[in-house]
Amino acid sequence: DIDELLSDGIKATPPSFVRSILKAASDPEVTSFAGGLPNPISFPQEKLLESMERVVAEQGAKAFQYSATAGIDELRQWVADRYNHRFGTDYVADDVLITTGSQQILDLLGKVLLDKGDGVIVEKPTYLAAIQAFALNQPAFYEVELTDEGLDIDELNAALDAGAKMIYLIPNFQNPTGLTYTAEGRRQVREALRGRNIVVVEDDPYGELRFEGESLPYIGGTNLPHGVVMGSFSKTVTPGFRMGYLLTKDHELLRTVSIAKEAADLHTNVFSQYVVYDYLTHNSLDEHLVKIRDLYGAQARAMVEAMAEYFPAEVSYTVPEGGMFLWVTLPESVDTMELFDKALARNVAFVPGAPFYAEPGARSTMRLNFTNADEDTIRDGIRRLAEVIAAALDA
């Protein structure tokens, strides 16, 4: 019986609910608001092909050989320069680790920091794949309610007093809610964390996808001694290359994460690193981002306008300033896990809210993705979803 041979950690780790429902939602007849999929028309395929040909011609065997665990120096320097330009920070290449998607960073931080029973503070709700990554290490999850400003500071202080090694935050266009911490909200969280011996992890895969408002500085970053910023090329260039990165001034932490990465995969795909670097240096990422922001902004507006028109009055939802998601809250009488099958029968899919809570949480919530369908499809899908919701409220 294989079950007797499995580790406690893997038994404690839930399968990804999103992965399981993407199969159900892959039917071309289904309008899927379920996955966190970038729009394929945002992938610069022709330019990436040009970069691939250049890399083979110019880098030769170097692009096909083993390389350093930290990543190729040129790409690490590019990442440092990008953040310094955007935020006025002073990162250098040695502050950067290139990873196999930003998901790997969650896995590595869990391995490096968390023993069984150690505390990790997360938002309520939070990114479900972070719950999954940390759960392998069997930590104690301390949830802190997410507000329109950021975190509930009283709950945060209580969680900090209970003892935690790491706090995991998504300050920009949070997954799953689409909420963004305000400048004041960030300041309050920073002050609560100041003087605490805790690793402050800020996951920011969507930060460059802001289509309204202005970018705000990080809570930790270079402001706190154990500040870690996570980034990714998945939402700006292509997710298929699985290329993420970590920035931190805490070189002792970075050293231990590098050891864990070395043990996991030696290094991230070298050819992909060279291709991404070549693409970034031969093309304007900013011009490319303008196209993505315009596209996603229009899609988000289409979804919000359709919900305003079709959703029952007792249903509330967030209005994001960027990113890929928004969050819907229904009356507590509605269980969105049960609603999912009814919606799928009407050829529309979403992600129920329950998997986004580290502990059993609100069952009357759902996450909707607006980036992977055109405006007319979004409008029609929201109309059908509204009919399913209305029927559940009348039942």
Side-chain angles (χ1 to χ4, degrees), residues 13 37 144 237 246 329:
T13 305
L37 302 177
V144 176
V237 182
L246 173 158
T329 303

Side-chain angles (χ1 to χ4, degrees), residues 15 81 101 138 149 183 272 342 386 390:
D81 290 344
Q138 300 175 273
E149 292 277 315
S272 294
K342 294 171 183 172

Side-chain angles (χ1 to χ4, degrees), residues 4 6 49 52 99 169 211 234 252 291 310 357 372 374:
E4 295 176 8
L6 296 177
L49 179 58
M52 290 177 198
T99 59
L169 307 170
F211 41 76
S234 291
E252 186 57 28
K291 296 174 189 171
Y310 294 122
Y357 294 89
N372 201 37
D374 63 53

Side-chain angles (χ1 to χ4, degrees), residues 383-394:
R383 180 184 56 77
R384 279 179 280 130
L385 180 56
E387 290 169 3
V388 173
I389 293 170
L393 291 174
D394 291 341

Side-chain angles (χ1 to χ4, degrees), residues 154-381:
D154 290 340
E155 286 190 20
L156 173 59
N157 283 321
L160 288 166
D161 290 342
K165 287 184 172 179
M166 171 169 58
I167 179 169
Y168 170 73
L169 307 170
I170 313 164
N172 298 317
F173 328 123
Q174 199 253 9
N175 183 357
T177 64
L179 291 170
T180 295
Y181 290 35
T182 63
E184 175 60 17
R186 290 168 198 246
R187 188 194 66 76
Q188 289 182 6
V189 173
R190 187 182 303 119
E191 290 312 306
L193 295 171
R194 201 178 294 282
R196 304 270 189 170
N197 189 28
I198 187 170
V199 175
V200 181
V201 181
E202 290 173 89
D203 192 356
D204 191 27
Y206 320 107
E208 300 238 44
L209 304 183
R210 176 181 282 280
F211 41 76
E212 280 179 30
E214 295 185 11
S215 290
L216 295 168
Y218 291 109
I219 294 161
T222 56
N223 296 309
L224 296 172
H226 308 306
V228 174
V229 172
M230 294 170 53
S232 171
F233 293 111
S234 291
K235 311 302 187 291
T236 54
V237 182
T238 169
F241 278 9
R242 305 306 304 124
M243 188 129 344
Y245 49 84
L246 173 158
L247 300 103
T248 184
K249 287 286 182 184
D250 185 341
H251 283 195
E252 186 57 28
L253 175 63
L254 193 60
R255 185 186 69 80
T256 57
V257 173
S258 297
I259 292 170
K261 177 167 172 61
E262 194 177 316
D265 66 357
L266 297 184
H267 59 73
T268 295
N269 185 308
V270 176
F271 183 71
S272 294
Q273 289 185 66
Y274 275 113
V275 171
V276 167
Y277 177 69
D278 183 275
Y279 168 78
L280 294 168
T281 51
H282 285 86
N283 301 277
S284 170
L285 180 63
D286 289 317
E287 285 180 18
H288 179 60
L289 286 170
V290 167
K291 296 174 189 171
I292 300 177
R293 290 188 199 115
D294 287 349
L295 175 67
Y296 289 0
Q299 290 170 306
R301 282 190 295 277
M303 182 170 280
V304 170
E305 287 168 7
M307 292 193 301
E309 182 173 344
Y310 294 122
F311 273 15
E314 54 267 59
V315 178
S316 62
Y317 46 86
T318 58
V319 180
E321 296 179 341
M324 300 171 62
F325 306 106
L326 54 79
W327 187 245
V328 180
T329 303
L330 288 72
E332 288 185 10
S333 60
V334 181
D335 185 334
T336 54
M337 281 287 198
E338 295 176 6
L339 199 70
F340 176 79
D341 290 329
K342 294 171 183 172
L344 201 57
R346 292 293 311 278
N347 283 341
V348 62
F350 60 85
V351 185
F356 295 98
Y357 294 89
E359 304 295 339
R363 302 189 67 82
S364 57
T365 53
M366 66 173 73
R367 188 191 76 176
L368 300 181
N369 165 262
F370 50 78
T371 60
N372 201 37
D374 63 53
E375 292 173 50
D376 289 340
T377 304
I378 287 171
R379 185 173 175 79
D380 184 58

Side-chain angles (χ1 to χ4, degrees), residues 13-24:
T13 305
S16 170
F17 187 78
V18 173
R19 292 280 149 202
S20 64
I21 66 173
L22 284 183
K23 189 165 185 281

Side-chain angles (χ1 to χ4, degrees), residues 107-120:
D107 175 64
L108 297 177
L109 287 170
K111 288 174 178 174
V112 165
L113 295 171
L114 300 175
D115 289 317
K116 185 174 181 177
D118 284 342
V120 55

